[in-house]
Amino acid sequence: VRKTLRLKANKGMELTGMDIGIATEGTFGPDPVAPHICAHTETMIVIDRGNDLEITEQLVSHETNYEQLLYKPGGDLESFLERIGFPEHAVIVQPEEPKLFNRLFKEPGTVKGVRDYDLLLTTLEQICRASRTGRAVIETDMRAGMNPTRMKVIRKLGKVMTDRLQRHCPACEVPGWGITFRKQGLPCSGCGMPTQFTLNEIWSCSACGFSDEQPRSDGKQKADPGYCHFCNP
């Protein structure tokens, strides 16, 4: 992810001629702690060439409409569209299994950014014909410009980054003092065994490398036994 972020930020600086680049990258999938819940992990980078700084921040949110539907003609489409917030949120449509000679016959492949209902129906009809199984995969378009829910998470992450840039390193006074690593091991309130939740936070400076280990900033000292691998294997 960080390599992709650097490429994006550097490309932005190249195109604008500015010395500061900002980029974000989002990933979506099962939450590592609660796999039955979908998590949205958004990462942001700020590169300041003038001060030789590279700062990243990350936010994990369960506020996401990331979802897929395997569609066949005549199937239930409306409930899926209602859940994901269509048409404010766009969708992507593609064949479940593309036919071998689709390109030769100019059959449609992946169609992104669909926000119009009539266009969606037409696209689904074409995509189903282009699929060996006669079915299409329709999923939420998670590109930021096509997904207002993701935009809200990016806005929250931007506030986190802004707050960090306002904090100065206690050793060298350069902006960007913040959390760079979280040590696991918060004890379970039931059995006392360590869990995979954060116990301590490592705060450090991107400029001079000074670091300091501190208790987690929200003051939480125990983990819920429901998430403990010993109490609830």
Side-chain angles (χ1 to χ4, degrees):
V1 172
R2 182 166 289 194
K3 181 179 179 181
T4 301
L5 287 168
R6 288 193 188 108
L7 289 172
K8 286 183 175 181
N10 285 319
K11 187 63 176 180
M13 289 187 282
E14 177 187 327
L15 293 173
T16 61
M18 300 185 69
D19 288 332
I20 295 179
I22 303 173
T24 66
E25 182 76 7
T27 58
F28 306 87
D31 187 293
V33 177
H36 59 286
I37 300 175
C38 183
H40 167 193
T41 303
E42 193 74 35
T43 310
M44 178 179 290
I45 193 169
V46 172
I47 298 178
D48 182 348
R49 287 177 176 168
N51 292 305
D52 194 25
L53 284 178
E54 179 182 298
I55 299 171
T56 58
E57 276 290 351
Q58 192 173 82
L59 181 65
V60 178
S61 173
H62 296 123
E63 296 178 38
T64 178
N65 68 334
Y66 178 69
E67 192 173 340
Q68 291 183 334
L69 173 71
L70 184 58
Y71 173 82
K72 62 180 179 179
D76 179 21
L77 179 63
E78 303 303 325
S79 57
F80 170 79
L81 296 180
E82 184 177 351
R83 284 196 306 274
I84 67 167
F86 182 87
E88 291 79 10
H89 295 75
V91 295
I92 296 173
V93 185
Q94 57 189 333
E96 182 187 20
E97 293 183 21
K99 292 179 181 177
L100 186 60
F101 298 107
N102 274 350
R103 289 187 179 181
L104 180 62
F105 295 105
K106 298 184 179 179
E107 293 284 0
T110 300
V111 181
K112 300 181 179 182
V114 181
R115 272 181 161 151
D116 179 82
Y117 184 73
D118 291 334
L119 175 60
L120 174 59
L121 293 181
T122 302
T123 301
L124 282 170
E125 182 181 344
Q126 294 172 341
I127 293 291
C128 286
R129 284 202 310 263
S131 175
R132 290 176 54 196
T133 62
R135 296 183 295 190
V137 177
I138 175 173
E139 62 184 36
T140 43
D141 192 332
M142 303 311 296
R143 294 175 298 171
M146 295 289 167
N147 195 295
T149 299
R150 184 182 171 198
M151 289 182 193
K152 291 179 182 178
V153 175
I154 293 175
R155 188 179 300 118
K156 290 180 181 178
L157 180 56
K159 177 64 167 59
V160 172
M161 179 64 82
T162 301
D163 291 344
R164 178 170 177 176
L165 292 173
Q166 293 176 344
R167 291 192 298 265
H168 294 250
C169 171
C172 70
E173 292 298 321
V174 169
W177 175 249
I179 301 171
T180 53
F181 184 73
R182 289 175 170 83
K183 293 179 66 174
Q184 296 180 344
L186 190 69
C188 170
S189 61
C191 68
M193 295 296 289
T195 67
Q196 55 188 320
F197 289 100
T198 299
L199 174 64
N200 289 335
E201 300 166 342
I202 308 299
W203 290 62
S204 62
C205 173
S206 300
C208 71
F210 174 73
S211 65
D212 182 33
E213 184 171 338
Q214 303 177 14
R216 51 186 294 160
S217 29
D218 62 3
K220 190 172 184 178
Q221 298 181 349
K222 298 289 183 179
D224 188 323
Y227 296 102
C228 174
H229 290 316
F230 296 94
C231 295
N232 189 25

